[in-house]
Amino acid sequence: MASMVIQTSSTSTPPPPPPPPPPPLNHPIKFDVFLSFRGPDNRTKFTDHLYNKLFVREGIPTFRDSEDLEQGKKISQLFEAIEKSKIAIVILSSNYASSTWCLREVAKIAECRNKTGLIAWPVFYDITPDQVLDREGIFKKDLDKHEQEFKDSIEMSSKEKEDGIKMVKKWREALTEVGGICGWDLKYRPETIVVDEIVKCVETKWKLKFNPAFSIEDSNDFVGMDRVRKIELDLDIKTSDKIGVIGISGMPGVGKTTIAEVVFRRNWHHFEANSFLANVGEIRKTKGLLHIQKQLYRDLLDSKVITMKDVPVERRKLRYKKVLIILDGVTELESIVELAGRGGEELINWFGRGSRIIISTINEKLLKDYEAKTHKVETLSENEPRLLFFRKAFNKDHPLHDCPELDFKFKIDHPMRQYAELAYKFVDLTDGLPLAIVVLGSLLLNRSLDEWEAELRTLEANNDSNDENTFGILKLCIDGLRDGGKEIFLDIACFFKGDDKKRVERIFESCGHNPGIELNILVEKSLVTIVGGKLWMHDLLQKAGQKMVIRKSELPENRSRVWDHEEAVSVLKHDKVSY
């Protein structure tokens, strides 16, 4: 077993104070890591070293079972911690199976791994993976003992005994499942090296996946899950080892990117490596293909691509690796070919068995040309638009929920009932377009009834074609911003989409704006997203902002902003600026 030698002397400084306990379970933070271990085997050894490096030194929220947990509440607290965690590290030791607490933990971890995407990593402390996987091996004696105790119990009913025996079977299966995952074997390796490797994996393979500002934080609350399930059915991740390509098409603002995000969040843990490449078309146009290739190979291999000559070398390393790649917002077939190959035989030569490529685009023909199995996303239907609007405008599934004082028979003029009636009218104006619903709902959150009625009158007065109606909704939301926020939004729409957030903040500060507060408001109102430190907004929002500027004047020199290169050169060349 790996060991650590600590030298001490009579003149040595006092040992540092013990690390702080893990955050309490009622704290709003979610844990990045849950540690499962048998206390007497390694609580003050390997587990303590790992916990110190993860939580104390690196600040990664980590749950470690405390010895003073109340026995009556212990298992429910442990289960809650596992459910709140993003990753579970199971430290398997020779006496692990002697503890029913440990066995319940590992069974819960296996359950969450299969149901919610919790990732599990085993550490083989003083045993080998083969010993764990051998059903006649090291854990058999303890598991048989637990089973016999259920059989011999004189206090249990026949039903309770039967349930107990089934539980032991579940424990056996969970140990086999977790023991079969690639992890760390401590038998011939120094603990410090293994600890450093685990911490690096947590930071690079997990932590990064949940910090980007995806528009969907919890896929369980996603409206339109049937669309996701249909795509997952065709992905056939668990049973097919063929390389599959799925396409997602649809009109702008219909939710293609959001659906791709949810599919990614629910399924990335089934793959050895994964990459979500957002706004491929726009980034290729503004920063070039090399910029995208760099992100792709950084995500998949944690490697650096300096020039395009490096790409074929790095690509060879993926040939036996099962990967999930999302190409979002693709506008050209060449982008798919450069990033994922030409399809068919080339896919097999580039990626490992079982890999999946998902492509989202407004161009359905592009997907047909690539021979991807295509899912066309339509606008929301039936009750979905209302549910999405309610969640954005009221933060609940219906405005009349949680109103115990509401007497439906007599209080017909109750304010929340009036809100509900107005909400139905707003939803009808969105034509089921998710982007319009989300932005409009975010605008109306915490607004008074008078404000709701005024905004509705404005929209109804400009309700023309679908395109103009969508523009009217987006314009209403942009006009509803404070002056500083509106100026920043228009600047991003015209100049700074895709630019580094910190760089743009410095520019705004030099112009007298307060970008910190205003950007937070734009994000809260779903008008801007921040992904990977870059400022982004939906194409429809960008076009709406630019359209607002253009409508001020037909002449570029009379507008507040000029972003077209040719127009800018003409205005500057002839000294025609008059704004």
CSV table of all heavy atoms in Angstrom, one decimal, residues 213-245:
chain,number,residue,atom,x,y,z
A,213,ALA,N,-22.0,28.9,-18.4
A,213,ALA,CA,-23.3,29.4,-18.2
A,213,ALA,C,-24.3,28.8,-19.2
A,213,ALA,O,-24.9,29.6,-20.0
A,213,ALA,CB,-23.3,30.9,-18.2
A,214,PHE,N,-24.5,27.5,-19.1
A,214,PHE,CA,-25.6,27.0,-20.0
A,214,PHE,C,-26.9,27.6,-19.6
A,214,PHE,O,-27.1,27.9,-18.4
A,214,PHE,CB,-25.7,25.4,-19.8
A,214,PHE,CG,-24.7,24.7,-20.5
A,214,PHE,CD1,-24.4,23.4,-20.2
A,214,PHE,CD2,-24.0,25.2,-21.6
A,214,PHE,CE1,-23.4,22.6,-20.9
A,214,PHE,CE2,-23.1,24.5,-22.4
A,214,PHE,CZ,-22.8,23.2,-22.0
A,215,SER,N,-27.8,27.7,-20.5
A,215,SER,CA,-29.1,28.4,-20.2
A,215,SER,C,-30.0,27.5,-19.3
A,215,SER,O,-30.9,28.0,-18.7
A,215,SER,CB,-29.8,28.7,-21.5
A,215,SER,OG,-30.1,27.6,-22.2
A,216,ILE,N,-29.7,26.2,-19.3
A,216,ILE,CA,-30.5,25.3,-18.5
A,216,ILE,C,-29.6,24.8,-17.3
A,216,ILE,O,-28.6,24.1,-17.5
A,216,ILE,CB,-31.0,24.1,-19.3
A,216,ILE,CG1,-32.0,24.5,-20.3
A,216,ILE,CG2,-31.5,23.0,-18.5
A,216,ILE,CD1,-33.3,25.0,-19.7
A,217,GLU,N,-30.1,25.1,-16.1
A,217,GLU,CA,-29.3,24.7,-15.0
A,217,GLU,C,-29.7,23.3,-14.5
A,217,GLU,O,-28.9,22.5,-14.0
A,217,GLU,CB,-29.5,25.7,-13.8
A,217,GLU,CG,-28.9,27.0,-14.1
A,217,GLU,CD,-27.4,26.9,-14.2
A,217,GLU,OE1,-26.7,26.1,-13.5
A,217,GLU,OE2,-26.8,27.7,-15.0
A,218,ASP,N,-31.0,23.0,-14.6
A,218,ASP,CA,-31.5,21.7,-14.2
A,218,ASP,C,-32.3,21.1,-15.3
A,218,ASP,O,-33.4,21.5,-15.6
A,218,ASP,CB,-32.3,21.9,-12.9
A,218,ASP,CG,-32.8,20.5,-12.3
A,218,ASP,OD1,-32.5,19.5,-12.9
A,218,ASP,OD2,-33.3,20.5,-11.2
A,219,SER,N,-31.8,20.0,-15.9
A,219,SER,CA,-32.5,19.4,-17.0
A,219,SER,C,-33.9,18.8,-16.6
A,219,SER,O,-34.8,18.7,-17.5
A,219,SER,CB,-31.7,18.4,-17.7
A,219,SER,OG,-31.4,17.3,-16.8
A,220,ASN,N,-34.0,18.5,-15.3
A,220,ASN,CA,-35.3,18.0,-14.9
A,220,ASN,C,-36.5,19.0,-15.0
A,220,ASN,O,-37.6,18.6,-15.1
A,220,ASN,CB,-35.2,17.5,-13.4
A,220,ASN,CG,-34.3,16.3,-13.3
A,220,ASN,OD1,-34.2,15.5,-14.2
A,220,ASN,ND2,-33.5,16.3,-12.2
A,221,ASP,N,-36.1,20.3,-15.0
A,221,ASP,CA,-37.1,21.4,-15.1
A,221,ASP,C,-37.3,21.8,-16.6
A,221,ASP,O,-38.0,22.8,-16.8
A,221,ASP,CB,-36.7,22.6,-14.3
A,221,ASP,CG,-36.9,22.3,-12.8
A,221,ASP,OD1,-37.7,21.4,-12.5
A,221,ASP,OD2,-36.2,22.9,-12.0
A,222,PHE,N,-36.7,21.2,-17.5
A,222,PHE,CA,-36.7,21.6,-18.9
A,222,PHE,C,-38.1,21.4,-19.5
A,222,PHE,O,-38.7,20.3,-19.3
A,222,PHE,CB,-35.7,20.9,-19.7
A,222,PHE,CG,-35.7,21.2,-21.2
A,222,PHE,CD1,-35.5,22.4,-21.6
A,222,PHE,CD2,-36.0,20.2,-22.1
A,222,PHE,CE1,-35.5,22.7,-23.0
A,222,PHE,CE2,-36.0,20.4,-23.5
A,222,PHE,CZ,-35.7,21.7,-23.9
A,223,VAL,N,-38.7,22.4,-20.1
A,223,VAL,CA,-40.0,22.3,-20.8
A,223,VAL,C,-39.8,21.7,-22.2
A,223,VAL,O,-39.1,22.3,-23.0
A,223,VAL,CB,-40.7,23.6,-20.8
A,223,VAL,CG1,-42.0,23.5,-21.5
A,223,VAL,CG2,-40.9,24.2,-19.4
A,224,GLY,N,-40.4,20.6,-22.5
A,224,GLY,CA,-40.3,20.0,-23.8
A,224,GLY,C,-39.3,18.8,-23.7
A,224,GLY,O,-38.6,18.5,-24.7
A,225,MET,N,-39.4,18.0,-22.6
A,225,MET,CA,-38.5,16.9,-22.5
A,225,MET,C,-38.7,15.8,-23.5
A,225,MET,O,-37.9,15.0,-23.8
A,225,MET,CB,-38.6,16.3,-21.1
A,225,MET,CG,-37.7,16.9,-20.0
A,225,MET,SD,-36.0,16.9,-20.4
A,225,MET,CE,-35.7,15.2,-20.4
A,226,ASP,N,-39.9,15.7,-24.1
A,226,ASP,CA,-40.2,14.7,-25.1
A,226,ASP,C,-39.3,14.9,-26.3
A,226,ASP,O,-38.9,13.9,-26.9
A,226,ASP,CB,-41.7,14.8,-25.6
A,226,ASP,CG,-42.0,16.1,-26.2
A,226,ASP,OD1,-41.7,17.2,-25.6
A,226,ASP,OD2,-42.7,16.1,-27.2
A,227,ARG,N,-38.9,16.1,-26.6
A,227,ARG,CA,-37.9,16.3,-27.7
A,227,ARG,C,-36.6,15.7,-27.4
A,227,ARG,O,-35.9,15.1,-28.2
A,227,ARG,CB,-37.8,17.8,-28.0
A,227,ARG,CG,-39.1,18.5,-28.4
A,227,ARG,CD,-39.0,20.0,-28.2
A,227,ARG,NE,-40.1,20.7,-28.8
A,227,ARG,CZ,-41.3,20.9,-28.3
A,227,ARG,NH1,-41.5,20.3,-27.1
A,227,ARG,NH2,-42.2,21.5,-28.9
A,228,VAL,N,-36.2,15.9,-26.1
A,228,VAL,CA,-34.9,15.3,-25.7
A,228,VAL,C,-34.9,13.8,-25.7
A,228,VAL,O,-34.0,13.2,-26.2
A,228,VAL,CB,-34.5,15.8,-24.3
A,228,VAL,CG1,-33.3,15.1,-23.7
A,228,VAL,CG2,-34.3,17.3,-24.3
A,229,ARG,N,-36.0,13.2,-25.2
A,229,ARG,CA,-36.1,11.8,-25.2
A,229,ARG,C,-36.1,11.1,-26.6
A,229,ARG,O,-35.5,10.0,-26.7
A,229,ARG,CB,-37.4,11.4,-24.4
A,229,ARG,CG,-37.3,11.8,-22.9
A,229,ARG,CD,-38.4,11.2,-22.1
A,229,ARG,NE,-38.4,11.6,-20.8
A,229,ARG,CZ,-39.2,12.6,-20.3
A,229,ARG,NH1,-40.1,13.2,-21.1
A,229,ARG,NH2,-39.2,13.0,-19.0
A,230,LYS,N,-36.7,11.8,-27.5
A,230,LYS,CA,-36.7,11.3,-28.9
A,230,LYS,C,-35.3,11.2,-29.4
A,230,LYS,O,-34.8,10.3,-30.1
A,230,LYS,CB,-37.6,12.1,-29.8
A,230,LYS,CG,-39.1,11.9,-29.6
A,230,LYS,CD,-39.9,12.8,-30.4
A,230,LYS,CE,-41.4,12.6,-30.2
A,230,LYS,NZ,-42.2,13.6,-31.0
A,231,ILE,N,-34.5,12.3,-29.2
A,231,ILE,CA,-33.1,12.3,-29.6
A,231,ILE,C,-32.3,11.2,-28.9
A,231,ILE,O,-31.5,10.5,-29.5
A,231,ILE,CB,-32.5,13.7,-29.4
A,231,ILE,CG1,-33.2,14.7,-30.3
A,231,ILE,CG2,-31.0,13.7,-29.6
A,231,ILE,CD1,-32.8,16.2,-30.0
A,232,GLU,N,-32.5,11.1,-27.6
A,232,GLU,CA,-31.8,10.1,-26.8
A,232,GLU,C,-32.1,8.7,-27.3
A,232,GLU,O,-31.2,7.8,-27.3
A,232,GLU,CB,-32.1,10.2,-25.3
A,232,GLU,CG,-31.5,11.5,-24.7
A,232,GLU,CD,-31.9,11.6,-23.2
A,232,GLU,OE1,-32.9,11.1,-22.8
A,232,GLU,OE2,-31.1,12.2,-22.5
A,233,LEU,N,-33.3,8.5,-27.8
A,233,LEU,CA,-33.7,7.2,-28.3
A,233,LEU,C,-32.9,6.8,-29.5
A,233,LEU,O,-32.4,5.7,-29.7
A,233,LEU,CB,-35.2,7.2,-28.6
A,233,LEU,CG,-35.9,5.8,-28.9
A,233,LEU,CD1,-35.8,5.0,-27.6
A,233,LEU,CD2,-37.3,6.0,-29.3
A,234,ASP,N,-32.7,7.8,-30.4
A,234,ASP,CA,-31.9,7.6,-31.6
A,234,ASP,C,-30.4,7.5,-31.3
A,234,ASP,O,-29.7,6.9,-32.0
A,234,ASP,CB,-32.2,8.7,-32.6
A,234,ASP,CG,-33.5,8.5,-33.4
A,234,ASP,OD1,-34.0,7.3,-33.4
A,234,ASP,OD2,-34.1,9.4,-33.9
A,235,LEU,N,-30.0,8.2,-30.2
A,235,LEU,CA,-28.6,8.1,-29.9
A,235,LEU,C,-28.2,6.7,-29.5
A,235,LEU,O,-27.1,6.2,-29.8
A,235,LEU,CB,-28.3,9.1,-28.7
A,235,LEU,CG,-28.1,10.6,-29.0
A,235,LEU,CD1,-27.9,11.3,-27.8
A,235,LEU,CD2,-26.9,10.8,-29.9
A,236,ASP,N,-29.2,6.0,-28.8
A,236,ASP,CA,-29.0,4.6,-28.4
A,236,ASP,C,-27.6,4.4,-27.8
A,236,ASP,O,-26.9,3.5,-28.2
A,236,ASP,CB,-29.1,3.7,-29.7
A,236,ASP,CG,-29.4,2.3,-29.4
A,236,ASP,OD1,-29.7,2.0,-28.2
A,236,ASP,OD2,-29.2,1.4,-30.3
A,237,ILE,N,-27.3,5.2,-26.8
A,237,ILE,CA,-26.0,5.2,-26.2
A,237,ILE,C,-25.6,3.9,-25.5
A,237,ILE,O,-24.5,3.4,-25.7
A,237,ILE,CB,-25.8,6.4,-25.2
A,237,ILE,CG1,-25.9,7.7,-26.0
A,237,ILE,CG2,-24.5,6.3,-24.4
A,237,ILE,CD1,-26.0,8.9,-25.1
A,238,LYS,N,-26.6,3.3,-24.8
A,238,LYS,CA,-26.3,2.2,-24.0
A,238,LYS,C,-26.2,0.8,-24.7
A,238,LYS,O,-25.6,-0.1,-24.2
A,238,LYS,CB,-27.3,2.1,-22.8
A,238,LYS,CG,-27.2,3.3,-21.9
A,238,LYS,CD,-28.2,3.1,-20.7
A,238,LYS,CE,-28.1,4.3,-19.8
A,238,LYS,NZ,-29.1,4.2,-18.6
A,239,THR,N,-26.8,0.7,-25.9
A,239,THR,CA,-26.8,-0.6,-26.5
A,239,THR,C,-26.0,-0.6,-27.8
A,239,THR,O,-25.6,-1.7,-28.3
A,239,THR,CB,-28.2,-1.0,-26.8
A,239,THR,OG1,-28.9,0.0,-27.7
A,239,THR,CG2,-29.0,-1.1,-25.5
A,240,SER,N,-25.8,0.5,-28.5
A,240,SER,CA,-25.1,0.5,-29.8
A,240,SER,C,-23.7,1.0,-29.7
A,240,SER,O,-23.4,2.0,-29.1
A,240,SER,CB,-25.9,1.3,-30.8
A,240,SER,OG,-25.2,1.4,-32.0
A,241,ASP,N,-22.7,0.2,-30.3
A,241,ASP,CA,-21.3,0.7,-30.3
A,241,ASP,C,-20.9,1.2,-31.6
A,241,ASP,O,-19.8,1.5,-31.9
A,241,ASP,CB,-20.4,-0.5,-29.9
A,241,ASP,CG,-20.4,-1.6,-30.8
A,241,ASP,OD1,-21.3,-1.6,-31.8
A,241,ASP,OD2,-19.7,-2.6,-30.6
A,242,LYS,N,-21.9,1.5,-32.5
A,242,LYS,CA,-21.7,2.1,-33.8
A,242,LYS,C,-21.5,3.6,-33.5
A,242,LYS,O,-21.9,4.2,-32.5
A,242,LYS,CB,-22.8,1.9,-34.7
A,242,LYS,CG,-23.0,0.5,-35.2
A,242,LYS,CD,-24.1,0.3,-36.2
A,242,LYS,CE,-24.3,-1.1,-36.6
A,242,LYS,NZ,-25.4,-1.3,-37.6
A,243,ILE,N,-20.8,4.3,-34.4
A,243,ILE,CA,-20.6,5.7,-34.4
A,243,ILE,C,-21.8,6.4,-35.0
A,243,ILE,O,-22.2,6.1,-36.1
A,243,ILE,CB,-19.3,6.2,-35.1
A,243,ILE,CG1,-18.1,5.6,-34.4
A,243,ILE,CG2,-19.2,7.7,-35.0
A,243,ILE,CD1,-16.8,5.9,-35.1
A,244,GLY,N,-22.5,7.2,-34.2
A,244,GLY,CA,-23.8,7.8,-34.7
A,244,GLY,C,-23.7,9.3,-34.8
A,244,GLY,O,-23.0,10.0,-34.1
A,245,VAL,N,-24.5,9.8,-35.8
A,245,VAL,CA,-24.5,11.3,-36.0
A,245,VAL,C,-26.0,11.7,-36.0
A,245,VAL,O,-26.8,11.2,-36.8
A,245,VAL,CB,-23.9,11.7,-37.4
A,245,VAL,CG1,-24.0,13.2,-37.5
A,245,VAL,CG2,-22.4,11.2,-37.4
